[in-house]
């Protein structure tokens, strides 16, 4: 069913949210996992891709960009300091030379690292330069962004080794953001078709089927898939990515309504209590907002939360708002981890009383959507978000989100 308008009406959105809540919140047995998270019901509830895609429409929209541009021109904070931070970064350099490779080989723990850092950082640079172009209307930034995208689209053929799916997801999340801004706001990009072919042939096949690895892998891969689908106007890929998202989010963030055990992602193969607890890093006490990777470290948890926010943001721009379906999980995840990053004592029942690392610059998009647009009180998340401003880049797939999403009403 491809109406392109389902989910736009308030009544239908409410009904959809209620249906998905019923699917995702069915109680699980204390000894056995729930069936693969109601996979058939999820499939039946999937809303079709939009009849007409919105451009630019990956993570940022034209109204959002116009809001940011006006704030920076007015010298308003926190946007001006965020813009200055971005422009001073290596990613905004007009002398940058792209470093494309035919085969990007990425092993576990970056061993080997043949082109992995170069690819991710060139993709972030292309996006950074596209943002600089839109805000300044200085064509030099657009031309440099195009130069970087053209360099890679002329060369790359594949990603290999054990981290290939994750690498493809990270770089593949940044490329469409840049491409959308340039293609739909700049006067000319002769090789945009070749870039689209690169995304379709090199990136999309690696990410579209997801991963049964840790949740941040599949969420980053799904983010890349949905962004690429928007740029390619590929409704089939878009629908598949949304279905993957709907199966993975409840398997990544626990809420008490889930029952004694967390949900499992369709196809995960996790069907006993011991298997699920093992997958959740040995954590056997579950609480609102706990992530499948909380007890691993907050940084990987941040990757997952960030990808969830990015996917929901893109879907909202495309007229199919996924935030209502995942708002309860996302708000609790942001709040729980922000609370402990801010210094609250970690109870012994949570990861043995010790949490490692930090979330990174990943709270702006979700906080703006849930708190500013939806009116949800998020005290801990607000405190952490404001402390971290201006949020920079994690040098993987997150960049400049204070600039793009702080208090952005569009």
């Amino acid at each position: 069913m491809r109406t392109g308008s389902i989910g736009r009406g308030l009544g239908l959105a409410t009904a959809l949210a209620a249906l998905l809540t019923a699917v995702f919140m069915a109680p699980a047995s204390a000894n056995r996992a729930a069936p693969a998270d109601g996979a058939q019901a999820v499939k039946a509830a999937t809303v079709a891709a939009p009849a007409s895609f919105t451009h630019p429409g990956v993570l940022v929209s034209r109204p959002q960009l116009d809001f940011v541009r006006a704030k920076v021109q007015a010298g308003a904070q926190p946007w001006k300091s965020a813009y200055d931070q971005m422009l001073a970064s290596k990613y905004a350099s007009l002398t940058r030379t792209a470093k494309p490779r035919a085969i990007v080989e990425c092993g576990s723990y970056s061993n080997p690292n043949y082109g992995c850092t170069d690819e991710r950082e060139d993709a972030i640079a292309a996006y950074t330069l596209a943002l600089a172009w839109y805000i300044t209307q200085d064509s030099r930034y657009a031309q440099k962004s195009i130069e970087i995208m053209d360099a890679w689209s002329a060369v790359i053929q594949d990603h290999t080794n054990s981290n290939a799916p994750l690498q493809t997801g990270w770089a593949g999340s940044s490329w469409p953001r840049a491409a959308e801004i340039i293609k739909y706001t700049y006067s000319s990009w002769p090789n945009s078709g070749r870039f689209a072919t690169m995304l379709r042939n090199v990136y999309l096949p690696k990410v579209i089927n997801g991963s049964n690895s840790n949740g941040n892998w599949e969420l980053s891969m799904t983010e890349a898939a949905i962004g690429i689908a928007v740029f390619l106007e590929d409704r089939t890929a878009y629908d598949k990515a949304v279905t993957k998202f709907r199966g993975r989010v409840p398997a990544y963030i626990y809420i008490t309504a889930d029952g004694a055990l967390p949900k499992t992602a369709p196809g995960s193969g996790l069907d006993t209590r011991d298997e699920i607890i093992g997958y959740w890093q040995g954590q056997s006490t579950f609480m609102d907002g706990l992530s499948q990777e909380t007890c691993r470290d907050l940084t990987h948890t941040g990757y997952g939360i960030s990808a969830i926010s990015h996917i929901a943001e893109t879907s909202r721009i495309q007229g199919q708002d996924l935030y209502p379906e995942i708002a309860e999980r996302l708000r609790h995840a942001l709040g729980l981890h922000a609370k402990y990053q801010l210094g609250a004592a970690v109870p012994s029942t949570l990861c043995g009383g010790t949490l490692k690392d930090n979330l990174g610059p990943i709270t702006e998009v979700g906080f703006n959507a849930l708190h500013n647009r939806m009116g949800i009180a998020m005290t801990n998340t607000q405190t952490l978000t404001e402390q971290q401003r201006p949020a920079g880049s994690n040098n993987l797939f997150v960049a400049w989100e204070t600039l793009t999403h702080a208090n952005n009403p569009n």
Side-chain angles (χ1 to χ4, degrees):
M1 181 167 57
R2 298 184 183 278
T3 66
S5 60
I6 298 175
R8 297 176 192 239
L10 181 58
L12 286 173
T14 302
L16 177 62
L19 174 59
L20 267 293
T21 299
V23 171
F24 292 153
M25 295 186 178
S29 161
N31 297 311
R32 302 289 293 182
D37 198 36
Q40 291 182 338
V42 171
K43 184 176 181 181
T46 298
V47 178
S52 178
F53 285 93
T54 298
H55 303 291
V58 176
L59 188 60
V60 291
S61 65
R62 188 184 293 266
Q64 287 175 322
L65 291 168
D66 287 339
F67 172 86
V68 172
R69 184 166 182 250
K71 291 294 186 182
V72 171
Q73 288 180 334
Q77 300 294 356
W79 304 276
K80 181 61 166 62
S81 60
Y83 170 75
D84 290 342
Q85 173 197 42
M86 181 188 81
L87 217 58
S89 76
K90 62 183 178 181
Y91 298 118
S93 171
L94 288 170
T95 60
R96 184 180 191 88
T97 300
K99 298 178 181 178
R101 300 173 75 101
I103 307 297
V104 175
E105 183 180 356
C106 307
S108 298
Y109 302 101
S110 298
N111 185 24
N113 179 345
Y114 297 141
C116 315
T117 300
D118 291 339
E119 179 189 31
R120 294 193 304 265
E121 294 195 347
D122 277 347
I124 291 172
Y127 173 55
T128 301
L129 291 156
L131 289 173
W133 143 249
Y134 197 88
I135 291 168
T136 64
Q137 297 293 293
D138 182 337
S139 63
R140 293 177 303 165
Y141 291 111
Q143 288 293 330
K144 179 57 72 169
S145 180
I146 289 169
E147 178 187 309
I148 292 169
M149 291 189 284
D150 283 354
W152 278 90
S153 70
V155 171
I156 189 166
Q157 298 173 13
D158 199 8
H159 299 86
T160 63
N161 215 314
S162 56
N163 268 19
L166 182 61
Q167 171 73 16
T168 310
W170 280 342
S173 293
S174 297
W175 287 130
R177 298 176 203 160
E180 281 279 300
I181 295 171
I182 294 299
K183 182 174 180 179
Y184 292 99
T185 73
Y186 187 62
S187 56
S188 176
W189 180 13
N191 289 320
S192 63
R194 189 179 73 195
F195 191 82
T197 299
M198 176 194 81
L199 292 180
R200 182 175 296 284
N201 294 343
V202 179
Y203 290 81
L204 191 59
K206 277 284 198 297
V207 298
I208 192 62
N209 293 316
S211 164
N212 288 322
S213 185
N214 282 303
N216 85 85
W217 275 53
E218 181 157 276
L219 288 162
S220 289
M221 292 165 70
T222 303
E223 179 185 349
I226 203 167
I228 291 168
V230 170
F231 186 70
L232 298 178
E233 298 196 331
D234 185 331
R235 291 171 178 79
T236 300
Y238 186 96
D239 287 346
K240 189 168 185 176
V242 169
T243 299
K244 189 69 68 176
F245 176 78
R246 284 179 161 144
R248 176 56 75 171
V249 174
Y252 193 69
I253 300 170
Y254 175 86
I255 54 175
T256 54
D258 292 338
L261 290 171
K263 301 289 186 182
T264 59
S268 70
L270 302 172
D271 56 12
T272 70
R273 182 178 186 276
D274 287 346
E275 287 173 345
I276 293 171
I277 288 173
Y279 185 60
W280 283 64
Q281 321 295 324
Q283 178 72 9
S284 59
T285 301
F286 301 99
M287 62 208 70
D288 280 327
L290 185 74
S291 156
Q292 179 253 318
E293 296 185 275
T294 301
C295 296
R296 180 186 185 185
D297 59 66
L298 295 191
T299 301
H300 284 88
T301 298
Y303 298 163
I305 292 172
S306 180
I308 290 169
S309 303
H310 293 166
I311 293 163
E313 190 73 7
T314 294
S315 79
R316 188 189 63 85
I317 294 168
Q318 296 305 324
Q320 176 206 35
D321 194 348
L322 295 174
Y323 278 118
E325 299 174 23
I326 54 100
E328 188 72 1
R329 295 180 192 274
L330 183 57
R331 79 176 181 91
H332 280 302
L334 285 166
L336 178 76
H337 298 92
K339 172 183 175 181
Y340 294 116
Q341 186 168 325
L342 289 167
V346 182
S348 60
T349 53
L350 177 59
C351 310
T354 302
L355 294 174
K356 294 189 297 185
D357 301 337
N358 60 75
L359 292 172
I362 61 92
T363 62
E364 290 278 15
V365 176
F367 174 69
N368 185 55
L370 300 184
H371 177 70
N372 295 330
R373 294 199 199 108
M374 298 176 70
I376 298 171
M378 301 175 71
T379 305
N380 289 322
T381 306
Q382 181 169 359
T383 300
L384 181 62
T385 299
E386 292 175 351
Q387 278 187 9
Q388 293 188 147
R389 285 178 176 167
S393 175
N394 69 357
N395 305 312
L396 299 174
F397 70 108
V398 176
W400 325 124
E401 293 179 0
T402 296
L403 177 66
T404 55
H405 288 83
N407 305 324
N408 197 322
N410 299 296

